[in-house]
Each structure stands twice: as C-alpha cells, then as structure tokens.
Amino acid sequence: MPNIKIKYFTDKIEKLKYIDGKSDWIDLRAASDVKLEKGEFKLIPLGVAMQLPEGYEAHIVPRSSTFKNFGIIQTNHQGVVDSSYCGDDDQWFMPVYALRDTEIHVNDRICQFRIMENQPKIEFEEVACLEGDSRGGFGSTGKQ
C-alpha cells in the first residue's frame, strides 16, 4: 500500500479517511466558507496538500450530490493532481461555477478523489482497418 504524506491547512475540516469496503473514493471538504452568486467562478480551497508517490496521480471529481446540494459544477469536470504538485504550499482546490446563488460552508463535502497509477507508456500503431465489429454511431447506443 503506498504511503501518502498529507498536510492540512486548517484544523476545521475532518481528517481524511479511507473507508474500506464502502468506496475507493475519498471525500474532500471545503476549507473555508464560500458565497457564490449565479454565474460566478471561484477556486474553493480543500485544505490539504499531499505528496503522492512517483508514478501516481489523484483524480478529483464532484460528489454525486454536489450539484443538487450546492448548484455548482466543477469547471474542468475532473481535476488531476500529479506527483510533482507536492510542495508545502501546494493546496488542492476545486474550481467551480455557480448555476444559482449558493453558500458552501467549512467542512461541507463537495468533491471526492482517488489515487491512480499513471498511464503506462504506450505507442500508437497506425492501421488501415481495425479488427472489431463496427457498431456505428455514438457510445453503446449505436445511434447518431
């Protein structure tokens, strides 16, 4: 199991914990009170910095209830923190856009993360034809 060094920027948020068997995503919390007006963008501090092991990265996404509870969306839809963002002042933030007036309070769970191994090195091989069956269209529906 990789050892993750973590620095907290405030004592007002709950410490992170991995809950084995429930989910492999870990909740992150707002580290300050934030008021947003509809149409406003802000970076919400998450109160933590981590030193990820070489070869790992963190993927940060909203919780399933974030939009319903707060009316915000994460502007980059998924944040990626690589192992080089590990300095003493490298606090994690969630960039958000408000679709309605809202307030977020210290310790509100607004997003979640998981730690993943970096993609292995790959090479692309250009071919004239692929061997799979064509489904046509988009995704699993096959419809355009």
Side-chain angles (χ1 to χ4, degrees):
M1 172 179 298
N3 184 37
I4 308 297
K5 293 180 181 177
I6 185 169
K7 175 184 174 178
Y8 289 92
F9 289 84
T10 179
D11 60 359
K12 295 179 182 177
I13 60 173
E14 288 185 29
K15 304 286 188 201
L16 298 185
K17 52 187 150 197
Y18 180 78
I19 303 172
D20 196 25
K22 184 177 178 189
S23 171
D24 57 355
W25 290 85
I26 301 165
D27 288 339
L28 291 165
R29 298 169 180 273
S32 65
D33 291 330
V34 177
K35 284 186 178 184
L36 291 126
E37 294 181 10
K38 181 179 179 178
E40 190 174 6
F41 167 84
K42 280 196 179 167
L43 291 171
I44 300 177
L46 300 173
V48 296
M50 294 183 212
Q51 188 171 353
L52 302 176
E54 189 70 31
Y56 287 85
E57 61 193 25
H59 295 187
I60 302 170
V61 299
R63 298 180 76 243
S64 59
S65 61
T66 298
F67 181 76
K68 175 182 69 82
N69 291 340
F70 303 106
I72 58 173
I73 57 172
Q74 186 173 349
T75 58
N76 56 355
H77 303 289
Q78 174 180 304
V80 177
V81 177
D82 64 33
S83 62
S84 70
Y85 192 68
C86 61
D88 208 37
D89 295 322
D90 290 340
Q91 180 173 193
W92 292 10
F93 290 82
M94 181 182 184
V96 302
Y97 181 80
L99 283 99
R100 61 174 163 86
D101 293 354
T102 190
E103 289 186 25
I104 298 162
H105 301 287
V106 170
N107 215 38
D108 281 344
R109 296 181 300 160
I110 58 169
C111 57
Q112 57 191 340
F113 79 102
R114 70 186 307 183
I115 295 172
M116 307 282 295
E117 285 189 75
N118 293 106
Q119 179 170 290
K121 293 186 189 280
I122 59 173
E123 292 183 26
F124 292 100
E125 175 188 353
E126 186 174 347
V127 296
C129 295
L130 298 175
E131 296 172 9
D133 292 334
S134 286
R135 295 177 13 203
F138 295 113
S140 63
T141 65
K143 297 178 183 174
Q144 292 188 14

